[in-house]
Amino acid sequence: MEQKNENISGENIIPGACSSFHKGSIYGRSLDWLVNYEADFIIKTSAMPGRHKVIGVGGCAKITADDVKEGKLLDAFRILPFYLQDGMNDAGLYCNINVVPIIDVDYKRSPKEERVCTTMLPRIILDKFTTPTEAIEYIKSVETFTPKEFIDGGYDMHLMVGNSEECYIVEFVDDDVKVTE
């Protein structure tokens, strides 16, 4: 039997999903995934020709707080700047990953010319784009895939993309990109 919790509105929710919100000019999210286990890092990049300045939170379930304290897995630190869980660029565009349970959906994607891991999308989007519309057009143009360990664990990844004027939820459902404002 699937365990469900009730949120403050009395609706049932499935444990394990991430949360984020946008209201007016305020954007926020929780960092409760693997809390007290995964090491999180602040990632800050400088603007370069063709790339925005970005600040965000990066982390990798393979790098624990103990690994950082003990100086282990130092090679893994090289990937951290590319693995943003969430962030914002100097144009005011934000993007975050929400990990969600897979419930009766096909998570396979149709082949396209460019193939991108969902964990890389926030960094690509924040580096290259100024508006949510540009970001969504890019997402629809590529084949996305979620790391096998998430799929095997019963989870997939969806995105929230926006700025102070608009916000979209981008879901990957039944081989389609579903966008909700």
Side-chain angles (χ1 to χ4, degrees):
M1 183 170 169
E2 187 174 294
Q3 176 191 0
K4 292 189 177 183
N5 298 331
E6 280 195 6
N7 64 19
I8 58 174
S9 68
E11 298 172 7
N12 284 327
I13 57 173
I14 297 168
C18 293
S19 57
S20 55
F21 73 92
H22 172 225
K23 183 167 176 109
S25 62
I26 299 173
Y27 156 72
R29 68 151 310 133
S30 68
L31 286 175
D32 55 3
W33 183 256
L34 298 175
V35 68
N36 296 325
Y37 177 75
E38 177 181 291
D40 291 312
F41 301 85
I42 300 297
I43 307 296
K44 181 180 171 191
T45 66
S46 300
M48 298 171 55
R51 294 190 186 268
H52 288 280
K53 184 177 183 178
V54 173
I55 189 164
V57 176
C60 178
K62 304 277 186 202
I63 302 174
T64 68
D66 287 340
D67 292 333
V68 174
K69 287 177 193 171
E70 296 169 18
K72 294 180 181 176
L73 302 174
L74 294 178
D75 285 341
F77 287 89
R78 293 180 185 163
I79 67 165
L80 283 174
F82 304 101
Y83 180 62
L84 285 181
Q85 296 163 342
D86 60 54
M88 181 178 281
N89 69 19
D90 56 4
L93 181 68
Y94 63 81
C95 180
N96 70 264
I97 294 172
N98 286 321
V99 176
V100 294
I102 297 172
I103 303 172
D104 298 326
V105 295
D106 178 8
Y107 54 84
K108 295 186 181 353
R109 316 283 194 256
S110 293
K112 294 185 180 167
E113 190 173 317
E114 185 177 353
R115 191 165 192 250
V116 178
C117 182
T118 50
T119 60
M120 295 291 294
L121 283 171
R123 176 62 193 265
I124 293 167
I125 287 166
L126 295 173
D127 273 356
K128 294 183 174 185
F129 303 110
T130 303
T131 68
T133 302
E134 293 170 334
I136 291 167
E137 287 173 6
Y138 172 76
I139 294 166
K140 288 181 174 182
S141 75
V142 298
E143 174 190 353
T144 62
F145 68 95
T146 296
K148 184 177 179 346
E149 58 266 23
F150 282 94
I151 298 298
D152 289 349
Y155 293 93
D156 200 352
M157 295 181 184
H158 297 242
L159 302 172
M160 189 162 100
V161 179
N163 59 22
S164 64
E165 299 165 5
E166 53 191 331
C167 175
Y168 300 93
I169 304 301
V170 180
E171 300 176 284
F172 306 99
V173 179
D174 296 331
D175 195 29
D176 193 16
V177 176
K178 308 265 188 210
V179 179
T180 305
E181 187 168 4

